[in-house]
Amino acid sequence: MFILLMGPPGAGKGTQADLLAEKCGVPHISTGDMFRAAVKAGTELGKEAKRYMDTGQLVPDAVTIGIIRESLSKKENQKGFILDGFPRTKEQAAALDGLLAELSVKLDAVIDIHVPGTELINRITGRRICKACGANYHALYNPPRADGICDKCGGVLYQRDDDRETTVKKRIEVYNEQTKPLIEYYSRHGQYTELDGTKGIKEVFAAILAILSSKKTHDNL
Ligand code: ADP
Ligand code: AMP
């Protein structure tokens, strides 16, 4: 099962990718998570990526395509994946086509999650992440049982630096300019489906499972 989740920042890609990964036992590959891990580890990649992330810009294609190439070269990512946050430019989409062809793999589903701008800002500014395990919460829509503490591992929750309102607006602008044009690119793809992402997390997940089941992508659905 090779799935691509598309949509603007805050649409719910990461949330849905985590749920799918857990249900279907395939890896969730997120370029944003990889960059944040590199920033945390203080590597050269992390230092470079941080300059762009902090201002809401995209990390240059050469760097981003490089980390995806490395990730897809791993055996554990070649049996299926849920890709989230990549591609974000036409160059990245072309690179992904090339990498999939090298692996002789085709995307089973391209799901484009639609959520309007005002709701995206509510979702992003309320997003909270576990420092220890990366689990994703929302202060109002998906709060942890104990304030500020991760349900899964007891870690401390924090707000991403780039989730503050000024950077969020820039990120949505960058999405509209550089990533939204990919809708046209992928709408020509036979497996492209648009999805209303404004419902609750469980409803959106059920809708994704229904799409995947209609495409018969996985035995466990
Ligand atoms: P993305 O990966 O697309 O940037 P996330 O999955 O991180 O988005 O979701 C952004 C925020 O919105 C998170 O705080 C998440 O808990 C919350 N969220 C995700 N899906 C929904 C939903 N369907 N309804 C309400 N809140 C949601
Ligand atoms: P995300 O976690 O997907 O919201 O991404 C957080 C930030 O990481 C983005 O605002 C970009 O700065 C950077 N980033 C993540 N994925 C990509 C990508 N495919 N191309 C360029 N930059 C990216």
Side-chain angles (χ1 to χ4, degrees):
M1 141 163 153
F2 293 88
I3 293 172
L4 175 58
L5 293 184
M6 295 176 66
K13 304 179 297 296
T15 303
Q16 298 299 331
D18 279 343
L19 292 171
L20 270 178
E22 199 176 321
K23 181 164 177 80
C24 304
V26 287
H28 168 194
I29 300 179
S30 152
T31 38
D33 285 351
M34 289 193 265
F35 286 136
R36 277 184 290 281
V39 171
K40 194 172 166 192
T43 62
E44 284 307 314
L45 168 69
K47 283 179 200 150
E48 182 175 9
K50 192 172 176 359
R51 296 206 324 258
Y52 298 94
M53 294 167 84
D54 282 351
T55 52
Q57 304 282 351
L58 295 184
V59 177
D61 283 336
V63 177
T64 309
I65 291 167
I67 64 162
I68 279 289
R69 177 180 293 281
E70 194 185 323
S71 177
L72 298 191
S73 72
K74 293 180 184 154
K75 279 268 173 299
E76 67 264 28
N77 291 339
Q78 295 181 351
K79 291 192 202 111
F81 55 66
I82 299 147
L83 196 51
D84 147 27
F86 183 96
R88 267 171 146 108
T89 63
K90 287 188 177 159
E91 289 71 18
Q92 293 180 16
L96 179 62
D97 284 348
L99 290 169
L100 294 176
E102 279 171 33
L103 295 172
S104 303
V105 154
K106 284 201 161 53
L107 293 172
D108 297 302
V110 177
I111 301 178
D112 187 15
I113 308 178
H114 283 222
V115 173
T118 45
E119 180 59 11
L120 293 176
I121 293 175
N122 291 338
R123 286 193 186 181
I124 300 177
T125 51
R127 173 160 52 196
R128 300 292 181 268
I129 311 277
C130 174
K131 249 189 187 136
C133 75
N136 189 332
Y137 297 87
H138 190 281
L140 298 175
Y141 305 145
N142 183 26
R145 284 192 293 272
D147 200 22
I149 303 294
C150 179
D151 292 347
K152 294 183 184 151
C153 76
V156 174
L157 304 188
Y158 77 104
Q159 181 177 38
R160 279 167 48 178
D161 287 342
D162 61 343
D163 276 354
R164 293 169 211 278
E165 198 161 338
T166 42
T167 320
V168 170
K169 288 195 173 137
K170 180 71 196 165
R171 284 164 61 203
I172 294 175
E173 220 175 276
V174 166
Y175 167 81
N176 285 328
E177 281 164 15
Q178 301 190 52
T179 308
K180 212 173 174 186
L182 290 186
I183 294 180
E184 209 216 315
Y185 185 85
Y186 280 106
S187 58
R188 282 183 257 121
H189 193 286
Q191 303 302 339
Y192 176 87
T193 311
E194 258 181 45
L195 177 67
D196 172 11
T198 58
K199 309 246 164 56
I201 293 173
K202 284 186 186 148
E203 284 97 329
V204 175
F205 187 51
I208 290 179
L209 293 182
I211 293 169
L212 298 182
S213 141
S214 74
K215 296 183 191 295
K216 299 192 175 46
T217 52
H218 200 269
D219 297 340
N220 282 355
L221 297 174

